[in-house]
Amino acid sequence: MWLQAIDHVLKRFQDDGIDFSRVRGISGAGMQHGSVYWSEKGEHALKSLDSSSSLEGQLGDAFSHPYSPNWQDASTQQQCDAFDNHLGDETRLAQVSGSKAHHRFTGPQILRFRTKYPKKYEQTSRICLVSSLLASIFLGTIAPYDISDVCGMNLWDIKTGTWDEQLLSLTAGSSDTSNLKRKLGAADVPEDGGACLGNISPYFVQKYGFDRSCAIAPSTGDNPSTLLALPLRPLDAIVSLGTSTTFLMSTPHYKPNPAVHFMNHPTTPGLYMFMLCYKNGGLAREQVRDSLSRSADPSEPWQTFDQVASSTPPLGQASDPSSPMKIGLFFPRPEIVPNVRAGTWRFIYKPRTKELLPVDERTWNCPEDDVRAIIESQLLSLRLRSRDLVESPTGQNAHLPPQPRRIYLVGGGSRNAAVAKIAGEVLGSIEGVYRLDVGENACALGAAYKAVWSVERKPGQSFEDLIGERWKEDEFVEKIAEGYQEGIFERYGSAVEGLDLVEKEVLRG
């Protein structure tokens, strides 16, 4: 599938008349955590590609395993338990690797592959992430991992910048980790996210007309690449409102815990990428939308949803901020954060006494009350888990409470006015809520910027400085909602405590 995609995209570009000889550098964004298993035959084939044939035609048999486990794979619970326990507990694993063990993370996936397919594992000469597979194809030899994407494996010690020997030993099934290290190419993970790995493979020069000097930079994961879609400043946050919900923030602080993800910043040493990822995003909101009466205009399916969300007071409260709050969890699919089964739970929270009460038809009007509640619960979860990373502003806004500087919304949900308004009310943000209008391809744009930075930077020039010099904010960014609103922001601060209690109650059940 990956090979088909590369063949298909390049053929479309060629048919559209793209002059590949003008391309000076290539980076890319790959589905994070996914793994690819090369055979020795595949490594040789990669170095001797024939420009008269497709990649799929020549590399279809280049892999020891025909499948590529990806982020949707949930078959590794046993391996995740082993990872969480191996260093002591999930908190220690998060401190070392940036995350507790997750089904989709590559280390647990490799452990499962080794134990389930021992013969195929022995036949594996190299293991790529999807991002390093992409770089390898263009380079014509196996490329090293990217300094940010390597952090999505539960194998890399972020603070020491090395592989963790204990975690490698667990994965390898032996204290002798040399064989696994060879498969990972462990000796070479460049710290420089913009390093030139080499020039493009002759295959692409001959087949598509690329210039021989076209440089290949490390490709990174789709989430780190999304972070690069604009010259993001520390304490700016990107909220991706797609099928899933993802929260990304650039921060100088490394404060890992089992509920979140920390990774190296893909371009800037000294910064980290903080990430939250939820399975239940747009699909959960759509489920609530579809429970309402249909919009009068079929071309505006969110019209009724927006109207109900906008007309419902924050948290379903009366004007008194100490009155009971309506808080719910809406998970059509099993959720990652918190790690609970699929289901819907609704509660009345009394902020004054910190009590949770069950709901009935008198206290919760379904489905209308679900509309604002699902938006609020998703955003309250972001605020709960990012609150230790945000800081109070300086200068004339120093009196304000800790919150992001800006919120940038991307993805399909960013077009929903009610969601944007509530995002500003719940999350705050000193300068407001903005839509980053780069279509549906923020991660592709980030990869392109990474290539530009790799090729054109001056000595010592940071990614933020180079891209910032060329960034035309008025062409890509539109302010769509206010941020911090005194009183409302503090009211949602109380609701954060309520959501925390709701999650703990559901986890106990």
Side-chain angles (χ1 to χ4, degrees):
M1 182 178 70
W2 305 123
L3 300 176
Q4 285 178 356
I6 297 171
D7 280 334
H8 179 67
V9 167
L10 291 176
K11 181 64 165 59
R12 285 184 60 181
F13 282 160
Q14 191 176 53
D15 292 344
D16 288 343
I18 297 295
D19 182 0
F20 290 109
S21 69
R22 298 179 60 196
V23 177
R24 294 178 54 197
I26 296 175
S27 184
M31 184 184 291
Q32 201 162 16
H33 314 297
S35 49
V36 178
Y37 302 86
W38 290 90
S39 66
E40 288 188 13
K41 176 183 175 182
E43 280 199 88
H44 175 75
L46 182 59
K47 295 176 181 178
S48 54
L49 293 170
D50 180 354
S51 62
S52 65
S53 300
S54 67
L55 293 171
E56 183 187 9
Q58 297 178 82
L59 297 175
D61 297 324
F63 306 100
S64 60
H65 188 49
Y67 303 108
S68 176
N70 62 41
W71 71 273
Q72 299 177 86
D73 188 291
S75 63
T76 56
Q77 185 60 54
Q78 180 181 347
Q79 290 75 23
C80 286
D81 291 343
F83 265 76
D84 280 335
N85 294 328
H86 197 66
L87 298 185
D89 56 29
E90 62 181 23
T91 299
R92 178 58 185 159
L93 179 62
Q95 289 171 347
V96 171
S97 72
S99 304
K100 73 170 188 176
H102 289 273
H103 294 142
R104 65 192 187 277
F105 271 50
T106 325
Q109 290 287 347
I110 296 172
L111 174 56
R112 180 177 182 272
F113 177 64
R114 178 183 64 78
T115 54
K116 186 172 183 178
Y117 305 105
K119 186 174 180 179
K120 290 181 177 179
Y121 178 79
E122 286 304 315
Q123 294 170 345
T124 299
S125 63
R126 292 293 296 271
I127 301 172
C128 275
L129 297 174
V130 178
S131 58
S132 62
L133 170 72
L134 185 60
S136 299
I137 296 297
F138 283 105
L139 194 61
T141 189
I142 304 297
Y145 299 129
D146 166 74
I147 190 62
S148 182
D149 211 17
V150 73
C151 301
M153 300 179 76
N154 281 139
L155 295 174
W156 186 257
D157 187 325
I158 292 179
K159 293 303 288 183
T160 65
T162 58
W163 299 96
D164 184 90
E165 283 293 333
Q166 294 184 70
L167 296 173
L168 289 181
S169 178
L170 169 64
T171 308
S174 169
S175 58
D176 181 0
T177 60
S178 57
N179 186 34
L180 176 57
K181 285 181 176 179
R182 282 193 297 271
K183 296 179 191 298
L184 297 173
D188 186 19
V189 178
E191 294 183 7
D192 181 1
C196 176
L197 303 179
N199 292 339
I200 195 167
S201 164
Y203 172 82
F204 296 97
V205 175
Q206 296 160 15
K207 190 172 183 68
Y208 295 104
F210 281 90
D211 191 278
R212 294 179 185 277
S213 64
C214 177
I216 308 301
S219 293
T220 191
D222 50 1
N223 291 308
S225 191
T226 298
L227 194 76
L228 302 180
L230 73 165
L232 205 66
R233 286 176 280 181
L235 302 181
D236 287 349
I238 295 178
V239 181
S240 178
L241 298 170
T243 303
S244 58
T245 295
T246 305
F247 180 93
L248 303 170
M249 180 183 286
S250 172
T251 173
H253 306 298
Y254 184 68
K255 297 181 179 180
N257 72 68
V260 304
H261 304 296
F262 270 86
M263 300 174 189
N264 288 317
H265 192 282
T267 64
T268 309
L271 290 181
Y272 302 95
M273 186 184 90
F274 167 80
M275 183 173 80
L276 289 165
C277 188
Y278 301 81
K279 286 185 178 179
N280 292 280
L283 291 179
R285 293 191 297 274
E286 287 176 13
Q287 189 175 81
V288 173
R289 178 200 67 186
D290 293 343
S291 69
L292 298 167
S293 59
R294 298 290 180 182
S295 298
D297 183 355
S299 67
E300 297 288 345
W302 290 95
Q303 187 177 65
T304 301
F305 182 94
D306 271 9
Q307 290 171 349
V308 173
S310 299
S311 61
T312 302
L315 300 159
Q317 285 184 303
S319 56
D320 180 2
S322 64
S323 63
M325 300 174 173
K326 298 179 180 180
I327 300 177
L329 299 179
F330 303 84
F331 299 152
R333 303 173 62 196
E335 187 49 80
I336 306 169
V337 182
N339 185 13
V340 297
R341 66 192 184 280
T344 299
W345 298 268
R346 302 176 180 91
F347 291 90
I348 299 298
Y349 172 62
K350 291 187 171 182
R352 186 172 292 171
T353 60
K354 302 189 184 304
E355 291 179 88
L356 287 181
L357 302 176
V359 302
D360 56 36
E361 57 189 28
R362 293 179 298 105
T363 57
W364 195 294
N365 181 25
C366 292
E368 285 76 11
D369 283 348
D370 289 349
V371 174
R372 187 167 184 114
I374 188 172
I375 300 171
E376 290 175 331
S377 68
Q378 292 177 342
L379 294 167
L380 284 169
S381 183
L382 299 181
R383 181 167 167 181
L384 169 65
R385 291 171 171 87
S386 64
R387 60 183 175 180
D388 290 338
L389 291 174
V390 294
E391 300 173 352
S392 294
T394 57
Q396 63 181 8
N397 294 313
H399 62 287
L400 297 180
Q403 59 192 289
R405 188 186 72 93
R406 281 189 179 188
I407 300 290
Y408 292 96
L409 301 183
V410 300
S414 67
R415 295 189 292 271
N416 188 300
V419 172
K421 180 177 182 295
I422 297 171
E425 293 173 347
V426 176
L427 299 175
S429 63
I430 304 302
E431 297 183 11
V433 180
Y434 295 75
R435 180 188 295 117
L436 180 59
D437 189 7
V438 292
E440 302 298 319
N441 295 301
C443 68
L445 179 64
Y449 284 157
K450 192 170 189 279
V452 170
W453 174 68
S454 174
V455 170
E456 298 193 3
R457 59 183 172 167
K458 301 180 181 72
Q461 187 174 26
S462 71
F463 174 88
E464 291 79 9
D465 286 344
L466 186 144
I467 300 302
E469 290 175 358
R470 306 173 183 207
W471 177 251
K472 298 180 180 179
E473 182 169 292
D474 56 347
E475 293 184 10
F476 295 109
V477 173
E478 174 190 5
K479 186 173 181 178
I480 54 175
E482 295 301 321
Y484 172 77
Q485 297 173 54
E486 186 175 1
I488 294 180
F489 182 80
E490 287 74 15
R491 187 183 302 192
Y492 277 115
S494 297
V496 166
E497 306 303 327
L499 180 79
D500 191 30
L501 289 177
V502 166
E503 290 184 353
K504 290 174 180 175
E505 178 69 23
V506 171
L507 286 168
R508 278 195 296 268

